């Protein structure tokens, strides 16, 4: 094990003395930022898409919107996230003449991508709410969108919270590919330490542990949220 | 008050309502009975366009609400509805259930008036002194709307004896309590007519009484009610008009004494012999 001690020492040397910790902190910040902002964008997009897709379709506008949303979901679920990152960074944005950093592209793409997944989760959640809730809202004279926002979606969110937690965890882990477009996340930070010490065993081990800790914290947070949302339920 | 003319409803190829015409006057207590699948619930749900009619018209306040272009929400506020499965908002407490719609609607009106006023004020700047436009008078505030709605809701809850349940969630109420809250929720909008869709069918037998008592009290106060029900005793006692619907048509209608005492239609006779 003497060998391993040596490796740990090398890691600590880079980590502490050669500003490795600053890189790690920056990477951690970026990873969390991409995942959190991505999730927020995703929730907004996903909710809108889900609400559009459950509108009764006998008018033209909902039909057109529904078609567009299906296309969007199909597109983003049908391609790997790495491909989406690359296409956005090297094809779409240059063609549109927009110059933004890799980090911003990562946030955008993760938002759009998780929007597609969350829309399906949300749709399931909305469909799981008894149709009578919508009927009751309409019957007292509230409009479709008012009822949706005040009655149906709050109940749907409660139902899908565990699945949503899954999505967030997946998002955190998937962010490890953003180095493809030059965003500095956790992987980049530890890769830097590894390449400087020619020793990858310890850095990657530490990286794995950090990811696990992140996910454990998120799971705990979701559990707390669930408990507070279960107020109106009998299952406590 | 409500004039139903040749109402038709189709689900796909199935013709559920086959031309129903009936006039409902103010103060009417109309019970609708019929075998299951006869279209009586569909008839009721068409009255406030929960199901869009595929033909015919429903004249309410001089407007055909079967027309897709009218603002149906405006009319629904004047037509309360009570469901078989209560459909209380699960994510709202009892008092919030009752207050939600009145507060929302009034706040929306307030917002509209304010927006209109600010537009008028802006355009008034460019008008001469003598032809300045008048502002819409705003007599209330959001807080006051909420306060009044709360007081109204509490008085309604007091009436059904559930004021101590104001802040609990519907999931903790019994079926009878839920249905009474649902009736009160409809009342909170001060509707002109309430539609009841089998209000006691999902209740335990011992809770049917409390709901029917509340409905009887409403009937005595002169509320117009249209009730789809299987409670023949209730129909006989409270209604002033009873309809028998089968296969999407009104087969017989009349005052309850005549209707139950001397039914003429053979289908109605058969139906009554089974249920009475």
């Amino acid at each position: 094990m003497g060998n391993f001690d040596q490796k740990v020492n090398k890691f600590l040397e880079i980590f502490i003395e050669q500003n490795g910790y600053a890189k790690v902190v920056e990477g951690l910040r970026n990873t969390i930022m991409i995942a959190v902002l991505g999730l927020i964008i995703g929730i907004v997009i996903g909710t809108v898409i889900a609400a559009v897709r459950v509108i009764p379709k006998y008018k033209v506008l909902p039909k057109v919107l529904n078609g567009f949303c299906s296309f969007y979901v199909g597109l983003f679920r049908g391609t790997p996230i790495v491909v989406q990152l690359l296409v956005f960074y090297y094809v779409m944005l240059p063609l549109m003449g927009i110059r933004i950093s890799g980090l911003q592209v990562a946030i955008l793409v993760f938002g759009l991508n998780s929007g597609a997944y969350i829309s399906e989760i949300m749709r399931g959640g909305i469909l799981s709410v008894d149709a009578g809730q919508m009927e009751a809202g309409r019957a007292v004279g509230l409009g479709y969108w008012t009822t949706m926002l005040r009655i149906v979606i709050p109940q749907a969110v409660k139902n899908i919270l565990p699945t949503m937690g899954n999505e967030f965890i997946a998002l955190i882990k998937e962010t490890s590919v953003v180095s493809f477009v030059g965003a500095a996340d956790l992987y980049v930070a530890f890769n830097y330490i590894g390449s400087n010490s020619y020793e990858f065993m310890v850095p990657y081990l530490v990286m794995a542990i950090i990811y696990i800790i992140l996910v454990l914290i998120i799971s705990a947070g979701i559990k707390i949220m669930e408990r507070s949302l279960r107020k109106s339920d009998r299952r406590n | 008050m409500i004039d139903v003319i040749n109402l038709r409803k189709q689900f796909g190829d199935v013709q559920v309502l086959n031309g129903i015409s009936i006039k409902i006057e103010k103060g009417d207590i109309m019970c609708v009975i019929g075998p299951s699948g006869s279209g009586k619930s569909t008839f009721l749900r068409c009255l406030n366009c929960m199901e869009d009619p595929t033909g015919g018209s429903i004249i309410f306040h001089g407007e055909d609400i079967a027309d897709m272009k009218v603002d149906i929400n405006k009319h629904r506020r004047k037509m309360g509805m009570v469901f078989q499965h209560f459909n209380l908002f699960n994510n709202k407490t009892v008092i919030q259930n009752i207050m939600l719609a009145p507060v929302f609607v009034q706040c929306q009106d307030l917002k509209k008036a304010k927006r209109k006023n600010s537009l008028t004020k802006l355009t008034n700047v460019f008008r001469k002194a003598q032809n300045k436009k008048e502002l819409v008078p705003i007599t209330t505030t959001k807080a006051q709307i909420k306060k009044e709605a709360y007081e109204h809701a509490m008085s309604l809850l007091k009436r059904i004896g559930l004021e101590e349940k104001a802040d609990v969630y519907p999931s903790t109420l019994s079926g009878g309590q839920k249905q009474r809250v649902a009736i009160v929720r409809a009342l909170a909008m001060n509707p002109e007519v309430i539609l009841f869709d089998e209000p006691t069918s999902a209740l335990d037998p011992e809770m049917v009484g409390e709901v029917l008592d509340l409905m009887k009290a409403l009937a005595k106060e002169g509320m117009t009610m249209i009730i789809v029900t299987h409670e023949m005793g209730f129909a006989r006692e409270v209604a002033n008009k009873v309809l028998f619907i089968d296969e999407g048509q009104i087969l017989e209608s009349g005052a309850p004494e005549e209707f139950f005492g001397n039914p003429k239609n053979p289908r109605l006779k058969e139906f009554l012999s089974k249920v009475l």
Side-chain angles (χ1 to χ4, degrees):
Chain A
M1 286 306 283
N3 197 11
F4 190 72
D5 284 346
Q6 223 173 7
K7 285 175 178 173
V8 172
N9 284 337
K10 233 175 197 173
F11 169 74
L12 286 178
E13 186 192 321
I14 305 254
F15 185 76
I16 293 162
E17 280 158 31
Q18 296 191 23
N19 266 345
Y21 64 91
K23 291 256 177 198
V24 170
V25 168
E26 193 203 346
L28 189 63
R29 195 201 66 195
N30 285 349
T31 292
I32 291 174
M33 198 155 81
I34 294 167
V36 170
L37 292 181
L39 188 76
I40 291 170
I41 297 172
I43 287 173
V44 173
I45 294 177
T47 308
V48 171
I49 293 181
V52 166
R53 292 190 80 177
V54 295
I55 299 179
K57 288 160 204 70
Y58 32 66
K59 285 189 196 154
V60 181
L61 184 67
K63 260 189 202 159
V64 173
L65 285 176
N66 186 52
F68 175 76
C69 291
S70 306
F71 172 72
Y72 175 91
V73 173
L75 193 69
F76 277 92
R77 287 202 307 184
T79 48
I81 185 102
V82 178
V83 174
Q84 289 164 24
L85 278 170
L86 293 175
V87 166
F88 261 81
Y89 193 67
Y90 292 108
V91 184
M92 293 274 286
L93 295 177
L95 279 181
M96 290 191 284
I98 302 169
R99 289 213 55 81
I100 54 178
S101 74
L103 182 65
Q104 286 161 325
V105 171
I107 291 170
L108 181 71
V109 170
F110 272 87
L112 293 172
N113 182 281
S114 68
Y117 285 94
I118 290 173
S119 80
E120 287 297 288
I121 299 174
M122 196 60 120
R123 194 162 69 98
I126 289 173
L127 293 178
S128 77
V129 176
D130 179 27
Q133 297 286 316
M134 175 54 91
E135 280 181 0
R138 299 307 307 274
V140 287
L142 303 176
Y144 177 87
W145 288 103
T146 313
T147 316
M148 201 58 160
L149 278 176
R150 293 187 174 226
I151 308 295
V152 178
I153 288 181
Q155 294 181 46
V157 166
K158 198 169 67 181
N159 291 345
I160 61 172
L161 208 63
T163 331
M164 213 57 158
N166 248 352
E167 174 65 21
F168 187 42
I169 289 169
L171 212 55
I172 283 262
K173 294 187 293 187
E174 273 175 16
T175 53
S176 55
V177 299
V178 296
S179 56
F180 274 88
V181 292
D185 72 330
L186 268 183
Y187 161 74
V188 173
F190 283 104
N191 191 41
Y192 164 85
I193 295 175
S195 5
N196 274 327
S197 58
Y198 306 108
E199 194 50 75
F200 287 93
M201 186 190 267
V202 180
Y204 285 170
L205 192 65
V206 175
M207 178 168 78
I209 291 169
I210 290 183
Y211 272 114
I212 289 173
I213 292 172
L214 268 182
V215 169
L216 286 178
I217 292 172
I218 293 164
S219 319
I222 290 162
K223 225 169 233 164
I224 293 168
M225 265 173 78
E226 253 183 84
R227 209 169 299 154
S228 72
L229 279 175
R230 287 253 172 253
K231 264 191 314 204
S232 59
D233 266 15
R234 279 205 240 180
R235 305 169 261 185
N236 280 315
Chain B
M1 185 165 62
I2 304 175
D3 211 347
V4 183
I5 303 161
N6 197 20
L7 183 67
R8 289 168 179 282
K9 174 71 188 175
Q10 237 171 331
F11 287 111
D13 292 335
V14 187
Q15 188 83 33
V16 183
L17 295 182
N18 236 329
I20 288 192
S21 299
I22 185 99
K23 250 195 169 86
I24 296 140
E25 305 292 345
K26 194 168 168 47
D28 266 356
I29 316 291
M30 196 173 86
C31 281
V32 182
I33 63 172
S36 65
S38 60
K40 53 190 189 319
S41 273
T42 309
F43 163 65
L44 193 80
R45 289 162 59 81
C46 277
L47 288 182
N48 67 350
C49 293
M50 282 328 262
E51 307 288 352
D52 292 311
T54 39
S57 39
I58 300 160
I59 312 294
F60 182 64
H61 281 286
E63 262 189 283
D64 181 6
I65 58 175
D67 187 351
M68 295 287 274
K69 287 187 198 83
V70 299
D71 180 5
I72 188 65
N73 293 333
K74 198 180 81 193
H75 292 288
R76 280 183 183 148
R77 283 164 200 162
K78 294 285 141 219
M79 286 179 152
M81 187 162 194
V82 174
F83 299 87
Q84 182 177 1
H85 296 287
F86 332 125
N87 294 354
L88 291 177
F89 304 134
N90 294 329
N91 58 333
K92 305 270 179 199
T93 60
V94 167
I95 191 96
Q96 285 170 342
N97 260 280
I98 302 171
M99 285 168 60
L100 177 71
V103 169
F104 178 80
V105 168
Q106 289 176 57
C107 283
Q108 213 180 24
D109 289 347
L110 181 71
K111 225 188 276 170
K112 245 181 236 164
K114 274 185 182 163
R115 211 175 300 149
K116 200 172 167 202
N117 275 356
S118 48
L119 191 74
T120 320
K121 268 183 206 160
L122 189 75
T123 50
N124 270 352
V125 174
F126 304 103
R127 287 202 180 88
K128 282 178 196 145
Q130 63 268 28
N131 51 11
K132 288 218 188 282
K133 262 198 194 168
E134 265 185 55
L135 299 179
V136 187
I138 292 178
T139 52
T140 173
T141 61
K142 217 169 168 177
Q144 202 181 346
I145 289 172
K146 273 190 189 150
K147 193 170 152 261
E148 276 166 18
Y150 179 78
E151 278 161 10
H152 187 204
M154 272 321 255
S155 71
L156 286 168
L157 275 179
K158 212 165 269 171
R159 171 182 180 162
I160 57 170
L162 289 177
E163 66 262 48
E164 78 278 10
K165 297 277 188 193
D167 294 315
V168 305
Y169 285 94
S171 59
T172 59
L173 299 179
S174 73
Q177 290 171 332
K178 277 184 198 170
Q179 194 60 298
R180 283 185 291 151
V181 170
I183 293 174
V184 157
R185 176 176 68 180
L187 281 177
M189 294 296 286
N190 296 318
E192 292 164 18
V193 49
I194 303 185
L195 316 173
F196 292 85
D197 188 2
E198 305 196 18
T200 57
S201 299
L203 294 176
D204 289 343
E206 56 170 342
M207 290 166 180
V208 171
E210 59 190 72
V211 172
L212 291 184
D213 284 343
L214 176 59
M215 288 166 65
K216 278 179 203 163
L218 286 180
K220 277 213 187 82
E221 285 162 24
M223 175 62 76
T224 313
M225 309 194 328
I226 304 169
I227 307 157
V228 171
T229 186
H230 292 296
E231 298 285 331
M232 296 302 154
F234 175 79
R236 188 181 278 191
E237 188 189 332
V238 180
N240 68 346
K241 207 188 259 177
V242 188
L243 294 187
F244 177 67
I245 293 186
D246 195 13
E247 291 181 355
Q249 281 174 317
I250 299 178
L251 295 185
E252 184 153 345
S253 69
E257 305 82 37
E258 177 73 11
F259 185 92
F260 289 108
N262 186 16
K264 292 183 189 63
N265 187 288
R267 295 277 283 287
L268 174 59
K269 276 184 197 162
E270 192 197 330
F271 179 71
L272 287 177
S273 72
K274 276 186 200 151
V275 295
L276 286 180

